Amino acid sequence: MAAAETLVKEIFGTIKDFIYRDIFYVIGGVSVLLSITLAFDIPLVYEGWSGLYLAVFGYVVGYVLQEIISIVGLTTTAYQQPNKLIRWFGFRFAPSEDWESLPPPEKVDLTLLRKCLDSHCGESCQKRINRTINLKQVGSSMASSLLITTGMLIVAAINHPGDTWYIPLAVSSFVLSIFLLIVNWLKQTQQNIMQLEVNRVCEECKGNATKG
């Protein structure tokens, strides 16, 4: 019975993670693909397995775009020190957070930080961190896809001058992508603040992940 309960928990945990994170790769990637079809008048067929194929291909597109935009530096999925603009938004979003506390990346030993979190982070604290990570991933995946979608909608507007709805849709997509970019950086910063705080108050590690 214990093995069955463990299996059920793992299955539900996987489904929950998919809903929180991976499904937004699908939504974002499919949005990009659909905007491309609108821009270049590419017909789509939804019969048979084509819908599933579109979802799978959309997942790949959404994930790849997130990684590319992250490498460019518009979004982040790794430890970063927030710039002044993000700290400005942060103080208004959650004034109680210490938005100025994060040291530069070269002063953080991520290996020691991960070891501390894996061994000493309590379950309730880990849940809070995981929820922040999930929201961060939503911001990074959707912002990346919406930026490309915005570009394709502008191309569609140029190729279809008689259709006036492309530009308002492109503007809406761009505004939403900027909002999600900010959310991504805010949640990345909050994640880092919480993780370093766990390491700092840990009786065994005593802040060993921060150098100097």
Side-chain angles (χ1 to χ4, degrees), residues 46-78:
Y46 298 99
E47 298 177 356
W49 291 91
S50 60
L52 179 60
Y53 176 77
L54 178 65
V56 173
F57 192 51
Y59 177 91
V60 174
V61 170
Y63 176 76
V64 170
L65 286 176
Q66 175 194 263
E67 295 305 303
I68 292 174
I69 300 298
S70 179
I71 290 172
V72 172
L74 292 179
T75 62
T76 177
T77 56

Side-chain angles (χ1 to χ4, degrees), residues 24 27-29 31-32 35 62 65 69 138-153 169-181:
F24 289 99
I27 296 172
S31 298
V32 171
S35 66
L65 286 176
I69 300 298
V138 172
S140 62
S141 59
M142 289 304 298
S144 303
S145 296
L146 285 174
L147 283 173
I148 306 302
T149 298
T150 299
M152 289 299 101
L153 289 173
L169 195 59
V171 171
S172 300
S173 175
F174 180 72
V175 170
L176 184 56
S177 68
I178 296 300
F179 172 77
L180 290 169
L181 284 173

